[in-house]
Every structure is written in C-alpha cells, then in structure tokens.
C-alpha cells in the first residue's frame, strides 16, 4: 500500500511507498494447459521456453488469465511495472516518466518522450485513454475490466500527460492496478474502441510496445518473440534477442525436453513428483520464488443447490449446503496426497504472508482445527431442512490447472461423499470452453485458481467479492462493497488490516468461494541458463534470460 502519510497535496508516490506488503513465503505455483510440444536447440541467439499454460486472447481487453497475461508481459508496455528482483512489489515508472497523485481523486501520469509502437506509430496519451476506455466499454465477461471499478474517467492533458479520475479518494491500490492485467497499453490506431481485435490482426499490425514484438503466432502452439529496438521502458534491452515459447499439451513431454536440453526453461506447470525428480537432476536447476497463487471452489449463487434460479430456491438452504461443504473438506490430506506439500492448506481468502491473512475456515468449519467434521455438516444440513444426499454438480479443468487437478477434485468428491451427505457429479471441461461456460451460469460449483495481479491484499478481495466481480457468480453484499471501498481509501496499515479481517469474516459466513490451497512460483531451467527471476511482481519475464 502507499505511505500512510499521504496527503491530497501533489506528491510523487512511486518513491514513497512505505510498508508495502509482499508475500515472501512459498505461496503460489499455478497449474496450466497446453497446445503443442517440441522446441528449438536454443542456438543462434534463440532461447526456448516451454509451458503448459493456455492463452485465451492476445487482446488485453478479452482475457484475465495467467497464460494470456504472460504473453502480454513480454510484448506490451505498461505505464507502471515492478522492477526485476523487487522484494516489495512497488510500482515504478515503465513507459511513464512520472506518476503521482495530484489530488485525492486524481492520479496523473506523464509519458516518456519519443515512445512508439513497433509499427512506428507514436505512443501518446491518446493511446492511454483509448486503452482504458475500450476495456471498460467492451466489458468482456472473461476480461479484466473489474479491476477498473474505481476509475471514473481518463482525461488527456496533453500529448504526454493523462489524468485518471477516481470515484473514491485515496485509493491505495490504483498504481498497482496499472501494473496488472488491465494495464497493457494498446495502439489506438489498431485496436477498435468497442470490439475485441483478433490475434492475427494484432500480430500483423505490430501493435506492440514492450521489450519484445511477436514475429510469429500460433495460439497455444508456438510464439516467437523478437526484441523491440525502440523499447524505452523499465526493463531495458532483452538479454536474448529472440525467444520462442513452446506450448505443451502433455507436461511429461515438457519434463523430458528440459531434461534432454531440447528446451532451455520451463514456466508452468509440472507436477509435484516431476519437480522432486528434477531437483535431483544436476543438468537442470529448479527455481523457487515468492508466491501468491491460491486454489479455490466457486459457487454460483443462481445455480448452486437451492440457488436463486433453481426449481426450489432457498437462500438459507443454499448457504447451509455451502457451509457443509466447508465442514467436510480435508485440505491437509489433499496437500500431502496430491501435491506432496508443494501446495499447503489455505484457511482464509488472503494467503499467508500478507496483512489480513487469517484462519476463518479453520475456526468456523470442520473440527475447528483444520480437519473435517461430518457430524457438524450433518447437523447443519438437518437444521436447515436440507435433504441428503445433496446433489452437487462440480466442475474442474484438466488442462489449465495441471494434470493433478483430476486427483485434487477426485479427492474433494471422495471427502464430500464419504458419509453419504453429498452425491457429487464430477465433470471436466477443456479451458477454452470452460472459461466461457463458467461466466454463463453453466457450472453450479467449479474450480478456479488465482495468480495475483499485484502484491496487495486487496487483490484477493475486490476482484472476488465486490458486486460485478470477475467471477460473475451473482454474489452481492452491500456491506462488503462498502468495506472494500473503505479499505482502499484507508491509509493507516493497522486500520486497513482490520478491515481485511472484517471483510473475510463476512464472506466466510456466506462462502461465495471456498479457499483450498496456496502454492509457490516455480520455474525450471537447464544449468547454463541465467536470469530466471521470480519476484514479487508474480510475473514471468523472458527478457532477462540468457545462456
């Protein structure tokens, strides 16, 4: 968060961010998806990175997932970013020359002179305004527009200066938002104001302003990045001029290729067993970094049992069902049997290591110590008049969150059914369809994972629990909305942390989402690769990689 001594006077905030929380404990490895396989030999100035992470869209207005954001990180410029190796996650000027609050509701950004896109078009304040206006206008259900909930208008002062006018004052999170997946600046001459631009048109237009441009693109198979000579941002000239990212459908093939040196680096995602094997292999290096990823179950308040649009809607019964699920889960068992401890139990919405992290789901549910309590669940359902076994449709994704997702959700199903209280219809869907279905009320309950946009505890609350959140699960609580707004504008760290706890206490009672596990950032490289940097930005950058 920002310095608690902030006043509405003109103040450069980017160099005065005291007390910014950052997750330094292991918290976040994400699991993923794929498309193709294979790689290059890494010669001729080219380095190859393998991943199983799927990309949804190259247009930043049309996606909100780690696979897409990883691509944007390489090829789009941001006004603010987090420096390589940062331990505190502070935003610093990237395309911006300066960025500061000029009043309690106005954040002013001045661009560097001479910025261009790779196609030669000038990058000016018009492009900045266009970027944020179009994201909100398109409001894609799979996009990141929810991150701009506190943005009122974007005003152009001159060619290099733009003002962000905010609805609520003293927003401690807004500079972080500019580093997030809603932050990539797009070319106003290329991207339409009210429609998503197809990937191939973006590549053909060379509408990039980051460290790299994209010279070839085959979604979820192969992407080739080439260094952009006129990039003037925070990260400087890339260490390797050409980087290929190869997408794998099978993590076993990816593991074999990194062991044999057919690729140079792996970013997301290998199984816990694979990582343990690779740690014993002298030919490769396993890199661990500060994390923040969480895994959780989402409940759709319209379609979960007794939801608002079911045949027998009953809010009290619906809540009892969600709470009974919480009573029956054994996170420790899933952590050990499925993930060998590489993911650990998560008992609150804010993970360990950030202010406000708590133990609501240990204290309020199960046996009170983190274990399951079937009798408590049974009594809860009986008291609410819920007939058992409760028929629950539960969906998971087999490719975006890793091969272990099948084992994870098989374990959840077994835990819920063990005492006859639930009958779980467990199904899986590939990510491309999954990402559409989940926002169209297809799934009553379903798996998601979260890789943080920025290192502030608000990022585990606002995107999930504010009305019009990115989940689209029909959860809305005016009291929670008010508290979320209040914490954003609270400058005292202790007062803000108390609000984090209060918000979580309320939402833990209603269980809009159910936290399960948290993990750590993990990458694997061949021994000769240098520059692998896993830091508090929670972003993977290819520009520092070399060998």
């Amino acid at each position: 968060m920002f310095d608690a001594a902030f006043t509405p006077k003109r103040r450069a905030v980017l160099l005065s961010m005291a007390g910014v929380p950052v997750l330094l404990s292991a918290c976040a490895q994400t699991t993923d998806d794929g498309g193709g396989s294979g790689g290059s030999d890494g010669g001729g100035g080219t380095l190859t990175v393998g991943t199983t992470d799927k990309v949804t869209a190259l247009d930043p207005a049309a996606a909100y997932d780690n696979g897409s954001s990883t691509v944007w990180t390489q090829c789009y410029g941001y006004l603010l970013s987090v420096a390589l190796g940062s331990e505190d996650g502070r935003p610093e000027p990237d395309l911006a020359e300066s960025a500061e609050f000029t009043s309690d509701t106005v954040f002013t950004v001045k661009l560097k002179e001479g910025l261009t896109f790779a196609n030669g078009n000038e990058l000016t304040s018009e492009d900045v305004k266009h970027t944020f206006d179009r994201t909100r206008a398109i409001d894609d259900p799979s996009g990141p527009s929810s991150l701009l909930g506190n943005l009122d208008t974007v005003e152009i002062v001159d060619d290099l200066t733009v003002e962000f006018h905010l609805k609520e004052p003293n927003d401690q999170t807004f500079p972080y938002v500019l580093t997030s997946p809603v932050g990539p600046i797009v070319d106003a001459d290329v991207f339409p104001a009210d429609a998503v631009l197809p990937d191939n048109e973006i590549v053909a237009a060379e509408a990039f302003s980051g460290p790299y441009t994209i010279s070839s693109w085959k979604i979820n198979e192969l992407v080739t990045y080439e260094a952009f000579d006129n990039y003037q941002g925070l990260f400087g000239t890339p260490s390797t001029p050409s980087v290929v990212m190869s997408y794998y459908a099978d993590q076993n093939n990816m593991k074999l290729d990194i062991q044999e040196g057919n690729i140079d680096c792996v970013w997301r995602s290998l199984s816990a067993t694979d990582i343990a094997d690779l740690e014993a292999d002298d030919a490769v290096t396993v890199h661990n970094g500060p994390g923040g990823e969480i895994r959780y179950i989402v409940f759709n308040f319209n379609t979960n049992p007794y939801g608002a649009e079911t045949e027998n809607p009953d809010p009290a019964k619906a809540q009892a069902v969600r709470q009974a699920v919480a009573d029956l889960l054994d996170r420790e068992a899933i952590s050990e049997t499925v993930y060998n401890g590489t993911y650990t139990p998560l008992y609150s919405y804010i993970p360990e290591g950030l202010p406000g992290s708590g133990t609501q789901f240990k204290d309020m549910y199960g046996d009170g110590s983190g274990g399951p309590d079937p009798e408590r669940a049974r009594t809860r359902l009986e008291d609410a008049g819920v007939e058992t076994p409760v028929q629950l449709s539960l969906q998971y994704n087999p490719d975006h969150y890793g091969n272990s997702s099948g084992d994870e959700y098989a374990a959840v199903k077994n835990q819920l059914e063990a005492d006859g209280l639930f009958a779980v219809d467990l199904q899986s869907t590939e990510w491309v369809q999954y990402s559409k279905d989940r926002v169209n009320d297809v799934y009553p309950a379903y798996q998601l994972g979260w890789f943080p946009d920025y290192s502030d505890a608000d990022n585990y609350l606002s995107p999930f629990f504010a009305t019009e959140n990115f989940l689209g699960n029909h959860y809305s609580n005016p009291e929670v909305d008010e508290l979320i707004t209040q914490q954003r504008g609270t400058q005292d760290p202790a007062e803000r942390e108390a609000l984090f706890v209060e918000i979580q206490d309320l939402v833990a009672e209603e269980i809009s989402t159910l936290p399960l596990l948290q993990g750590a950032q993990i990458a694997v490289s061949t021994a000769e690769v240098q520059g692998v940097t896993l830091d508090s930005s929670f972003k993977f950058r290819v520009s520092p990689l070399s060998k």
Side-chain angles (χ1 to χ4, degrees), residues 28 30 32 49-53 66 70 245 254 265-269 451 521-524 534 538-540:
T30 331
D32 314 46
V49 178
T51 184
T52 59
D53 227 356
N66 200 62
T70 296
M245 187 161 281
M254 187 169 68
C265 187
V266 165
W267 167 244
R268 295 167 48 92
S269 244
F451 201 77
Q521 292 184 88
I522 296 176
V524 181
L534 304 177
F538 307 122
K539 294 182 179 183
F540 182 75

Side-chain angles (χ1 to χ4, degrees), residues 199-262:
D199 297 346
N200 62 331
E201 294 185 33
I202 298 172
V203 174
E206 298 182 278
F208 306 115
S209 59
Y212 288 94
T213 65
I214 293 177
S215 60
S216 65
W217 171 267
K218 194 165 185 181
I219 189 168
N220 293 323
E221 291 190 22
L222 203 71
V223 180
T224 302
Y225 299 105
E226 301 291 343
F228 173 34
D229 292 338
N230 198 41
Y231 171 65
Q232 300 179 46
L234 179 63
F235 304 100
T237 302
S239 298
T240 301
S242 179
V243 176
V244 172
M245 187 161 281
S246 183
Y247 292 78
Y248 286 76
D250 187 338
Q251 66 185 35
N252 295 318
N253 291 339
M254 187 169 68
K255 177 193 175 188
L256 183 63
D257 274 353
I258 190 69
Q259 285 181 302
E260 295 183 348
N262 296 325

